[in-house]
Amino acid sequence: MRERKIRNMEEFAAKSGVSRPTVSKYFNDPSSVRASTRERIEAALERYDFRPNLYAVNQNRRLTKNIGIVVPNLADPFFSELARNIERRCIDAGFSPTTFSSHGSREHEIEIMDTLRSIRPAGVLLAPLGRSSDRATLEAFCKDVPTVLFDSNIEGIGAAFIGSDPFQSIPLMVDYLCRTGAPPCFFEMPPVNPNANKRRDAYLRAMQRLGHTPHVVRVEGHGWDFEDIGYREGLRVIAEGGLPSQTVLCSNDRLAIGLLAAAYESGIRVGITEECTMRIAGHDDHPFARFTGPSLTTVAQDYKAISERSVETVLKLVEGGSIDDSARDILFDGHLVMRASA
């Protein structure tokens, strides 16, 4: 039976009768210490309940194997899916990823950067809040730590940005909706990050190019509770007769999911069959989009390509210290996913 739990490396070194530097050396590379010393340490590990703090062990390395991943909201399945893909690729490359959620908070995003500095990551993959971020703090962090931004870009910050091109994906959906029915109005997300304004601007340009009058439905609310905002504002706008078109393109799928619920509660049939009076489409191909009622027509972001290129880029920084100019801003096209809602 193991004896009581050891609290730290110093206490374990004292109990095992081996110096603290030698114990640290063992945990970095067991083969780097003499066989007799290794036996003493391993005997102590069997006797005492102790496992080293790998972050603390990494502090003594010139280059750690830690990779930080930061997203605005890990409860959002969109970011969970991106983080899952990025984590898997980091692990396959031999690195140890740690994922943080800033929960939409400027202060928490700053705290995360402080925490990341303390574990001396080899590199960081960061989806910033954007509008709410402290630009000066982000700039200072990205100068000290190899950092690649993904999903949301802030010009001039980070070694590179990997994401989707809203000026390709939004027109793709606008073209489809105009081709198959009434031109869409745009149900706008709160401007929590640069993607919000870019998607709105892409909609305006696409409608003008096609010769249609654009209509932006501005919603009340802030923060990342998009389903609630889509539902609450959808009920309000429908009740007020404020939808200028019965075809609605939502800025993201989470808003669309809320609007679908509002339409259902308001007695409106959504879909492409004859008895339906409204069409709703979204953007992102949220992991739940195919399970809504009706299933949501959307534009899919390329999760796989974004995660692979993000990890590839940060590892290039880690290994070589720089990347080519051609790899600094990579935007992937979206593709149309036609389902039952539009």
Coordinates of all heavy atoms in Angstrom, one line a residue, residues 135-181:
R135 N -6.0 44.9 -27.1 CA -5.0 44.8 -28.2 C -3.6 44.9 -27.7 O -2.7 44.1 -28.2 CB -5.3 45.9 -29.2 CG -4.4 45.8 -30.5 CD -4.6 46.8 -31.5 NE -3.7 46.7 -32.6 CZ -4.0 46.0 -33.7 NH1 -5.2 45.4 -33.9 NH2 -3.1 45.8 -34.7
A136 N -3.3 45.8 -26.8 CA -1.9 46.0 -26.4 C -1.4 44.7 -25.7 O -0.2 44.3 -25.9 CB -1.8 47.1 -25.4
T137 N -2.2 44.1 -24.9 CA -1.8 42.8 -24.2 C -1.6 41.7 -25.2 O -0.6 40.9 -25.1 CB -2.9 42.4 -23.2 OG1 -3.0 43.5 -22.2 CG2 -2.4 41.1 -22.5
L138 N -2.5 41.6 -26.2 CA -2.3 40.6 -27.2 C -1.1 40.8 -28.0 O -0.3 39.8 -28.3 CB -3.5 40.6 -28.2 CG -4.8 39.8 -27.8 CD1 -5.9 40.1 -28.8 CD2 -4.4 38.3 -27.8
E139 N -0.8 42.0 -28.4 CA 0.4 42.3 -29.2 C 1.7 41.9 -28.4 O 2.6 41.3 -29.0 CB 0.5 43.8 -29.5 CG -0.4 44.2 -30.7 CD -0.2 45.7 -31.0 OE1 -0.2 46.5 -30.1 OE2 -0.2 46.0 -32.2
A140 N 1.7 42.3 -27.1 CA 2.9 41.9 -26.3 C 3.0 40.4 -26.2 O 4.2 39.9 -26.3 CB 2.8 42.6 -24.9
F141 N 1.9 39.7 -26.0 CA 2.0 38.3 -25.8 C 2.5 37.6 -27.1 O 3.3 36.7 -27.1 CB 0.6 37.7 -25.5 CG 0.5 36.2 -25.3 CD1 0.9 35.6 -24.2 CD2 0.1 35.5 -26.4 CE1 0.9 34.3 -24.0 CE2 0.0 34.1 -26.3 CZ 0.4 33.5 -25.1
C142 N 1.9 38.1 -28.3 CA 2.3 37.4 -29.5 C 3.8 37.7 -29.9 O 4.4 37.0 -30.7 CB 1.4 37.9 -30.6 SG -0.3 37.3 -30.5
K143 N 4.3 38.8 -29.4 CA 5.8 39.1 -29.6 C 6.6 38.1 -28.8 O 7.7 37.8 -29.3 CB 6.1 40.5 -29.3 CG 5.6 41.5 -30.3 CD 5.9 43.0 -29.9 CE 5.3 44.0 -30.9 NZ 5.6 45.4 -30.4
D144 N 6.1 37.7 -27.7 CA 6.9 36.8 -26.8 C 6.7 35.4 -27.1 O 7.6 34.5 -26.8 CB 6.6 37.1 -25.3 CG 7.0 38.5 -24.9 OD1 7.8 39.1 -25.6 OD2 6.4 39.0 -23.9
V145 N 5.6 35.0 -27.5 CA 5.2 33.6 -27.7 C 4.8 33.3 -29.2 O 3.9 34.1 -29.7 CB 4.0 33.2 -26.8 CG1 3.7 31.7 -26.9 CG2 4.4 33.5 -25.3
P146 N 5.3 32.3 -29.8 CA 4.9 32.0 -31.2 C 3.4 31.8 -31.2 O 2.9 30.8 -30.6 CB 5.7 30.8 -31.6 CG 6.9 30.8 -30.7 CD 6.4 31.4 -29.4
T147 N 2.6 32.6 -31.9 CA 1.2 32.6 -31.8 C 0.5 32.6 -33.2 O 0.9 33.5 -34.0 CB 0.6 33.7 -31.0 OG1 1.2 33.7 -29.7 CG2 -0.9 33.6 -30.8
V148 N -0.4 31.7 -33.5 CA -1.2 31.7 -34.7 C -2.6 32.0 -34.3 O -3.2 31.3 -33.4 CB -1.0 30.4 -35.5 CG1 -2.0 30.3 -36.6 CG2 0.4 30.2 -35.9
L149 N -3.3 33.0 -35.0 CA -4.7 33.2 -34.7 C -5.5 32.4 -35.7 O -5.1 32.1 -36.8 CB -5.0 34.7 -35.0 CG -4.2 35.8 -34.2 CD1 -4.9 37.1 -34.5 CD2 -4.2 35.5 -32.7
F150 N -6.7 31.9 -35.2 CA -7.6 31.2 -36.0 C -9.0 31.7 -35.7 O -9.3 32.3 -34.7 CB -7.5 29.7 -35.9 CG -7.9 29.1 -34.5 CD1 -9.2 28.6 -34.4 CD2 -7.1 29.1 -33.5 CE1 -9.6 28.1 -33.2 CE2 -7.5 28.6 -32.2 CZ -8.7 28.1 -32.1
D151 N -9.9 31.4 -36.7 CA -11.3 31.8 -36.7 C -11.5 33.3 -36.8 O -12.2 33.8 -37.6 CB -12.0 31.3 -35.4 CG -13.5 31.7 -35.5 OD1 -14.2 31.2 -36.4 OD2 -13.9 32.5 -34.6
S152 N -10.9 34.1 -35.9 CA -11.2 35.6 -35.8 C -9.9 36.3 -35.9 O -9.0 36.1 -35.1 CB -11.9 35.9 -34.5 OG -12.1 37.3 -34.4
N153 N -9.7 37.2 -36.9 CA -8.5 37.8 -37.1 C -8.5 39.2 -36.5 O -9.5 39.9 -36.5 CB -8.2 38.0 -38.6 CG -6.8 38.4 -39.0 OD1 -5.9 38.2 -38.1 ND2 -6.5 38.8 -40.2
I154 N -7.3 39.6 -36.0 CA -7.1 41.0 -35.6 C -5.8 41.5 -36.3 O -4.7 41.0 -36.1 CB -6.8 41.1 -34.1 CG1 -8.1 40.6 -33.3 CG2 -6.6 42.6 -33.7 CD1 -7.9 40.6 -31.8
E155 N -6.0 42.4 -37.2 CA -4.9 42.8 -38.2 C -3.7 43.2 -37.4 O -3.8 44.0 -36.4 CB -5.4 44.0 -39.0 CG -6.5 43.6 -40.0 CD -6.1 42.6 -41.0 OE1 -4.9 42.5 -41.4 OE2 -7.0 41.9 -41.6
G156 N -2.5 42.7 -37.8 CA -1.3 43.1 -37.3 C -0.9 42.4 -36.0 O 0.2 42.7 -35.4
I157 N -1.7 41.4 -35.6 CA -1.4 40.6 -34.4 C -1.2 39.1 -34.7 O -1.9 38.6 -35.5 CB -2.5 40.8 -33.3 CG1 -2.4 42.2 -32.8 CG2 -2.3 39.8 -32.2 CD1 -3.5 42.5 -31.7
G158 N -0.2 38.5 -34.1 CA 0.1 37.1 -34.4 C 0.9 36.9 -35.6 O 1.0 37.8 -36.5
A159 N 1.6 35.8 -35.7 CA 2.5 35.5 -36.8 C 1.7 35.1 -38.1 O 2.2 35.3 -39.2 CB 3.4 34.3 -36.5
A160 N 0.4 34.6 -37.9 CA -0.4 34.2 -39.1 C -1.8 34.1 -38.6 O -2.1 34.1 -37.4 CB 0.1 32.9 -39.6
F161 N -2.7 34.1 -39.6 CA -4.1 33.9 -39.3 C -4.6 32.8 -40.3 O -4.4 32.8 -41.5 CB -5.0 35.2 -39.6 CG -6.4 34.9 -39.6 CD1 -7.1 34.6 -38.4 CD2 -7.2 35.0 -40.7 CE1 -8.4 34.3 -38.3 CE2 -8.6 34.7 -40.7 CZ -9.2 34.4 -39.5
I162 N -5.4 31.9 -39.7 CA -6.0 30.8 -40.5 C -7.5 30.8 -40.2 O -7.9 30.8 -39.0 CB -5.5 29.4 -40.0 CG1 -3.9 29.4 -39.9 CG2 -5.9 28.3 -41.0 CD1 -3.2 29.7 -41.1
G163 N -8.3 30.9 -41.3 CA -9.7 30.9 -41.0 C -10.5 30.7 -42.3 O -10.0 30.2 -43.3
S164 N -11.8 31.2 -42.3 CA -12.6 31.1 -43.5 C -12.8 32.4 -44.1 O -12.6 33.5 -43.5 CB -14.0 30.5 -43.1 OG -13.9 29.2 -42.6
D165 N -13.2 32.4 -45.4 CA -13.4 33.6 -46.2 C -14.9 34.0 -46.3 O -15.6 33.4 -47.1 CB -12.8 33.5 -47.6 CG -12.9 34.7 -48.4 OD1 -13.3 35.8 -47.9 OD2 -12.4 34.7 -49.6
P166 N -15.3 34.9 -45.4 CA -16.8 35.3 -45.5 C -17.2 35.9 -46.8 O -18.4 35.8 -47.2 CB -16.9 36.2 -44.3 CG -15.6 36.8 -44.1 CD -14.6 35.8 -44.5
F167 N -16.2 36.5 -47.5 CA -16.6 37.1 -48.8 C -16.6 36.1 -49.9 O -17.0 36.4 -51.1 CB -15.6 38.2 -49.1 CG -15.7 39.4 -48.2 CD1 -14.8 39.5 -47.1 CD2 -16.6 40.3 -48.3 CE1 -14.9 40.5 -46.2 CE2 -16.8 41.4 -47.4 CZ -15.9 41.5 -46.3
Q168 N -16.4 34.8 -49.6 CA -16.7 33.7 -50.5 C -17.9 33.0 -50.0 O -18.8 32.7 -50.8 CB -15.5 32.8 -50.6 CG -15.7 31.5 -51.5 CD -16.3 30.3 -50.7 OE1 -16.2 30.2 -49.5 NE2 -17.1 29.5 -51.4
S169 N -18.0 32.7 -48.7 CA -19.0 31.8 -48.2 C -20.4 32.5 -48.1 O -21.4 31.9 -48.5 CB -18.6 31.3 -46.8 OG -18.4 32.4 -45.9
I170 N -20.5 33.7 -47.7 CA -21.8 34.4 -47.6 C -22.4 34.6 -49.0 O -23.6 34.3 -49.2 CB -21.6 35.8 -46.9 CG1 -21.3 35.5 -45.4 CG2 -22.9 36.6 -47.0 CD1 -22.5 34.9 -44.6
P171 N -21.6 35.1 -50.0 CA -22.2 35.2 -51.4 C -22.6 33.9 -51.9 O -23.6 33.8 -52.7 CB -21.0 35.8 -52.2 CG -20.2 36.6 -51.2 CD -20.3 35.8 -49.9
L172 N -22.0 32.8 -51.5 CA -22.4 31.5 -52.0 C -23.8 31.2 -51.5 O -24.6 30.7 -52.3 CB -21.4 30.4 -51.4 CG -21.6 29.0 -51.8 CD1 -21.2 28.8 -53.3 CD2 -20.7 28.1 -51.0
M173 N -24.1 31.5 -50.3 CA -25.4 31.3 -49.8 C -26.4 32.2 -50.3 O -27.6 31.9 -50.7 CB -25.4 31.3 -48.2 CG -26.8 31.1 -47.6 SD -27.5 29.5 -48.0 CE -26.6 28.5 -46.8
V174 N -26.0 33.5 -50.4 CA -27.0 34.5 -51.0 C -27.4 34.1 -52.4 O -28.5 34.2 -52.8 CB -26.3 35.9 -51.0 CG1 -27.2 36.9 -51.8 CG2 -26.2 36.4 -49.5
D175 N -26.4 33.7 -53.2 CA -26.7 33.3 -54.6 C -27.7 32.1 -54.6 O -28.6 32.1 -55.4 CB -25.4 32.8 -55.3 CG -24.5 34.0 -55.7 OD1 -24.9 35.1 -55.6 OD2 -23.3 33.7 -56.0
Y176 N -27.5 31.2 -53.8 CA -28.4 30.0 -53.7 C -29.8 30.4 -53.3 O -30.8 30.0 -53.9 CB -27.8 29.0 -52.7 CG -28.8 27.9 -52.4 CD1 -29.2 26.9 -53.3 CD2 -29.5 27.9 -51.1 CE1 -30.1 25.9 -52.9 CE2 -30.4 27.0 -50.8 CZ -30.7 26.0 -51.7 OH -31.7 25.0 -51.4
L177 N -29.9 31.2 -52.3 CA -31.2 31.6 -51.8 C -32.0 32.5 -52.8 O -33.2 32.3 -53.0 CB -31.1 32.4 -50.5 CG -30.6 31.6 -49.3 CD1 -30.4 32.5 -48.1 CD2 -31.5 30.5 -48.9
C178 N -31.3 33.4 -53.5 CA -31.9 34.2 -54.6 C -32.3 33.3 -55.8 O -33.3 33.6 -56.4 CB -30.9 35.3 -55.0 SG -30.7 36.6 -53.8
R179 N -31.5 32.3 -56.0 CA -31.8 31.4 -57.2 C -33.1 30.6 -56.9 O -33.8 30.2 -57.9 CB -30.6 30.5 -57.4 CG -30.2 30.4 -58.8 CD -28.9 29.5 -59.0 NE -28.7 28.5 -58.0 CZ -27.6 28.4 -57.2 NH1 -26.8 29.5 -57.1 NH2 -27.5 27.4 -56.4
T180 N -33.3 30.3 -55.7 CA -34.3 29.3 -55.3 C -35.6 29.9 -54.7 O -36.5 29.1 -54.3 CB -33.8 28.2 -54.4 OG1 -33.2 28.8 -53.2 CG2 -32.7 27.4 -55.1
G181 N -35.6 31.2 -54.5 CA -36.8 31.8 -53.9 C -36.6 33.3 -53.7 O -35.7 33.9 -54.4

